[in-house]
């Protein structure tokens, strides 16, 4: 089954259609071009430039946003999975991420990650194995981050803030596998958006109790007594070791809290750059 949208624009789910039009052979990995070096983001942060240069930068950012909007408009209701790029397939966390991706796809949800290796790859791999949609929002880095080979759709961004926008804009829930600075940044930026009402109270799940408990304890025993956060801010964060429990929580939220129902998908328009997501970039 899969989610879509009805004539009134309400997101829906379709039981009769597969969650994603399968590639010709989904056992084969995708091949995506590697990221390339680009100084544009560094220049953006170097302070004032000539007005003409800053206008070109603003236009470049606008075009990147628009390209992301059009590429991801029809990927369906998504769950964004955060996680480290540094765990290889031999690590237990990789298996955890793969199971999460599989269960999300089986629930009819599109799996979106940062598109890189490690636990991002694990979630994409699990989704693809289950026949679901597997999307990557990759980032151009000075030391290139190669897109993982389990993506049906890959969109590459120059600017971190545009990439983060895309990872939030289309998602009804967020799951953080173990990770480092990047994962922590994504967790807390999402938590701030929920806390301040910029986005609705979508589920925010930390997967890996032993790994994440010290972080949650710090929030509970340091920030809360100091009055810098409220009890509700901690209660929004769900901690579990079970992908099954995480997906059940997400499924209940997207159906009961956000009105997703079962029905046909809206159709993309090729002339707007919204072509079918069949593995082509």
């Amino acid at each position: 089954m899969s989610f879509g949208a009805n004539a009134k624009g309400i997101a829906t789910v379709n039981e009769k259609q597969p969650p994603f039009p399968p590639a010709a052979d989904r056992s084969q990995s995708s091949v995506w071009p590697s990221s390339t070096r680009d100084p544009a983001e560094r220049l953006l942060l170097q302070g004032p430039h000539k007005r003409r240069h800053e206008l070109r930068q603003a236009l470049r950012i606008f075009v990147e946003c628009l390209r992301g909007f059009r590429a991801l408009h029809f990927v369906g209701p998504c769950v964004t999975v955060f996680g480290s790029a540094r765990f290889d397939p031999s690590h237990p966390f990789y298996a955890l991420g793969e199971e999460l991706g599989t269960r999300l796809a089986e629930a009819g949800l599109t799996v979106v990650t940062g598109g890189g290796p490690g636990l991002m790859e694990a979630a994409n791999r699990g989704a693809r194995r289950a026949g679901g949609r597997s999307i990557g929002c990759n980032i151009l880095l000075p030391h290139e981050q190669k897109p993982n080979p389990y993506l049906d759709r890959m969109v590459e961004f120059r600017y971190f803030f545009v990439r983060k926008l895309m990872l939030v804009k289309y998602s009804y829930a967020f799951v953080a596998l173990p990770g480092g600075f990047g994962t922590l940044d994504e967790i807390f930026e999402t938590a701030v958006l929920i806390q301040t009402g910029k986005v609705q109270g979508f589920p925010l799940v930390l997967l890996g109790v032993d790994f994440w408990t010290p972080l949650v304890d710090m929030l509970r025993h340091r920030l809360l007594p100091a009055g810098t956060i409220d009890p509700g801010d901690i209660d929004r964060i769900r901690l579990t070791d079970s992908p099954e429990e995480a997906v059940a929580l997400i499924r209940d939220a997207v159906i009961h809290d956000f009105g997703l129902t079962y029905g046909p998908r809206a159709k993309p328009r090729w002339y707007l750059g919204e072509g079918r997501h069949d593995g082509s970039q």
Side-chain angles (χ1 to χ4, degrees), residues 47-261:
H49 294 279
K50 293 182 178 179
R51 294 180 180 86
R52 183 180 301 175
H53 174 79
E54 292 186 339
L55 176 60
R56 287 198 300 267
Q57 284 188 319
L59 291 173
R60 189 181 296 118
I61 292 167
F62 169 77
V63 169
E64 185 157 296
C65 287
L66 186 62
R67 181 167 57 87
F69 293 160
R70 300 285 24 102
L72 300 176
H73 188 74
F74 288 97
V75 296
C78 302
V79 172
T80 295
V81 179
F82 307 126
S84 175
R86 301 188 180 190
F87 294 113
D88 62 33
S90 66
H91 199 284
F93 288 153
Y94 190 99
L96 188 69
E98 195 169 356
E99 182 184 354
L100 172 68
T102 296
R103 290 186 179 274
L104 287 170
E106 290 174 346
L109 292 158
T110 298
V111 173
V112 178
T113 75
L119 302 188
M120 294 175 281
E121 174 185 298
N124 288 130
R125 185 176 186 175
R128 185 160 184 159
R129 181 180 63 188
R133 293 185 172 195
S134 175
I135 309 298
C137 295
N138 199 44
I139 185 72
L140 293 162
L141 295 175
H143 302 288
E144 61 186 35
Q145 174 175 291
K146 186 177 181 180
N148 74 67
Y150 301 102
L151 303 174
D152 297 310
R153 181 81 174 179
M154 192 274 286
V155 188
E156 198 160 51
F157 298 98
R158 175 183 289 112
Y159 302 105
F160 263 112
F161 59 88
V162 178
R163 181 207 198 196
K164 289 178 182 178
L165 171 62
M166 301 304 159
L167 290 173
V168 172
K169 178 176 173 61
Y170 298 95
S171 289
Y172 283 77
F174 306 89
V175 182
L177 292 157
F181 284 163
T183 303
L184 289 170
D185 174 49
E186 290 156 345
I187 290 170
F188 284 115
E189 185 157 355
T190 302
V192 168
L193 291 172
I194 296 171
Q195 178 195 54
T196 56
K198 294 296 184 180
V199 301
Q200 294 190 58
F202 299 130
L204 175 57
V205 182
L206 306 185
L207 195 57
V209 172
D210 289 343
F211 188 90
W212 291 119
T213 292
L215 175 66
V216 176
D217 285 345
M218 187 270 290
L219 301 179
R220 192 178 305 278
H221 300 304
R222 294 289 184 181
L223 275 63
L224 186 60
T228 57
I229 60 173
D230 296 325
D233 298 328
I234 299 177
D235 294 340
R236 292 188 186 98
I237 300 173
R238 303 296 293 270
L239 190 61
T240 182
D241 276 327
S242 169
E244 182 179 11
E245 179 182 340
V247 173
L249 168 68
I250 291 167
R251 181 177 172 80
D252 287 347
V254 298
I255 291 177
H256 297 136
D257 296 344
F258 305 116
L260 296 184
T261 58

Side-chain angles (χ1 to χ4, degrees), residues 25-32 128 148-151:
D25 183 356
R26 295 187 65 80
S27 65
Q28 298 297 314
S29 61
S30 306
V31 178
W32 300 99
R128 185 160 184 159
N148 74 67
Y150 301 102
L151 303 174

